[in-house]
């Protein structure tokens, strides 16, 4: 049976009962009494309907907090259906609120900024990344026009032109942002911001690295090719000159080999495919080997001393040897003849330290912050004289990062420098010395 019939049948029955009752009164008590009873019955039915309409109207004024009224007759079904509709609506509201909370939580974790605006660019919501990128504050700026909050001429032109197919590049607070507006629904738009500062810096470092590496390799190749051309053009070249040329070519070839070796080392240290191969590193023999290498490089021109009073380490012996050797060889190269170099490995309260102190030429303060950059040289001419590749301190920095260590530099021009490598406690190996058992008699 259709819902319409289910609604009309009870109403028709109540109306029929009223008419039958009035007819019986008419039959027994006369027409006047019958008409009065009929009018009273119809009035009662009308009052009942108006009463429930009034209660329904009051409930509709505040459907979320007011209790749904009870019904009679057809109103029972109406109120039951309204109750089911309200219950379904409340369930949908809860689900929508949960979905919105999950959406905002997910948007809050995005590294890119997300700003939701209405069709006239009034701010409705933004995530923390957008607040950081654009200097917004949701509590303060909600309901304000975005063009009044981001006062950038390029951004305003982008909004006016409405060419949202292509992103816009903005410089905001020393950051490079990629901005794009995406239409969303009919009356909303999404502003997406991507911070490209770090990727731009990495691209610049890559370009600089390629340019510097090409320059460093070009110089020895030019020398070698030049001498080879001379040798081909002059077969009867004087033996002494030929020997001098061969010596210079050998030196330049060795320089290229060292440079390529350092570049490969840096690439390996930066790669996630080569994790630290942790092992027990015996520091004392490691330091003694570095001391012998330093004395061989010095050829007796410097006074080099070593003091070892600290624990062993957990890490890669090869990487640590490379880092320590770079620091010590730099001290030898940049310390004038008869200067002194002091090496020490000692325990500290919060770990252990490897110190390289020299009486060399020193470094000005403006250069210290950039010492570990690739190919950065304080004095380029002197670096070439000392056969440096410009990658030594960059290798040191990456090795220390892999071993959770830090590098500190203190230097005074013409007086000397102190390089301090600090290792945390968790990288140290405390040696266990067994206590002999007492001998029983």
């Amino acid at each position: 049976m259709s819902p319409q019939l289910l609604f009309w049948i009870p109403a028709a029955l109540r109306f029929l009962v009223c008419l039958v009752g009035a007819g019986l009164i008419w039959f027994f008590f006369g027409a006047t009494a019958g008409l009065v009873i009929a009018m009273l019955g119809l009035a009662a039915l009308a009052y009942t309907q108006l009463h429930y309409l009034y209660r329904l109207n009051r409930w509709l004024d505040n459907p979320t907090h007011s209790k749904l009224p009870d019904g009679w007759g057809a109103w029972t079904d109406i109120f039951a259906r309204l109750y089911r509709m309200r219950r379904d609506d409340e369930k949908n509201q809860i689900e929508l609120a949960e979905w919105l909370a999950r959406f905002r939580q997910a948007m809050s974790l995005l590294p890119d900024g997300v700003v939701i605006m209405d069709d006239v660019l009034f701010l409705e919501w933004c995530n923390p990344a957008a607040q950081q990128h654009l200097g917004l504050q949701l509590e303060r700026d909600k309901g304000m026009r975005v063009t009044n909050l981001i006062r950038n001429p390029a951004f305003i032109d982008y909004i006016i032109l409405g060419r949202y197919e292509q992103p816009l590049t903005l410089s905001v607070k020393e950051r490079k942002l990629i901005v794009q507006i995406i239409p969303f629904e009919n009356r909303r738009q999404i502003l997406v911001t991507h911070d490209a500062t770090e990727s731009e810096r990495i691209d610049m470092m890559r370009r600089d690295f390629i340019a510097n590496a090409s320059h460093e390799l070009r110089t020895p190749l030019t020398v070698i090719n030049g001498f080879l051309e001379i040798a081909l053009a002059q077969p009867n070249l004087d033996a002494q000159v030929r020997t001098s040329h061969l010596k210079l070519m050998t030196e330049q070839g060795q320089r290229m080999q060292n440079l390529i070796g350092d570049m490969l080392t840096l690439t390996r240290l930066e790669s996630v495919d080569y994790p630290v191969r942790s092992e027990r590193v015996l520091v004392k023999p490691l330091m003694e080997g570095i001391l012998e290498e330093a004395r061989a490089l010095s050829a007796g021109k410097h006074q080099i001393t070593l003091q070892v009073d600290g624990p062993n380490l957990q890490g890669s012996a090869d990487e640590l040897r490379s880092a320590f050797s770079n620091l010590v060889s730099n001290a030898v190269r940049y310390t004038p003849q008869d200067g002194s170099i002091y090496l020490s490995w000692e325990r500290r309260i919060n770990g252990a330290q490897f110190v390289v102190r020299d009486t060399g030429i020193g470094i000005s303060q403006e250069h210290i912050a950039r010492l570990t950059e690739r190919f950065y040289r304080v004095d380029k001419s002197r670096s070439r004289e000392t056969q440096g590749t410009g990658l030594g301190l960059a290798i040191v920095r990456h090795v220390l990062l892999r071993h959770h260590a830090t590098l500190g530099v203190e230097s005074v021009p013409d007086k000397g420098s102190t390089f301090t490598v600090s290792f945390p406690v968790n990288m140290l190996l405390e040696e266990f010395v067994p206590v002999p058992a007492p001998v029983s008699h």
Side-chain angles (χ1 to χ4, degrees), residues 96-106:
L96 180 61
E98 291 177 352
W99 179 87
L100 183 60
R102 289 196 299 268
F103 169 78
R104 289 184 173 178
Q105 183 180 11

Side-chain angles (χ1 to χ4, degrees), residues 306-325:
L306 170 66
Q307 178 182 355
V308 178
D309 183 19
N312 292 324
L313 281 171
Q314 184 76 24
S316 169
D318 291 337
E319 291 184 14
L320 292 172
R321 176 185 291 276
S322 173
F324 294 165
S325 295

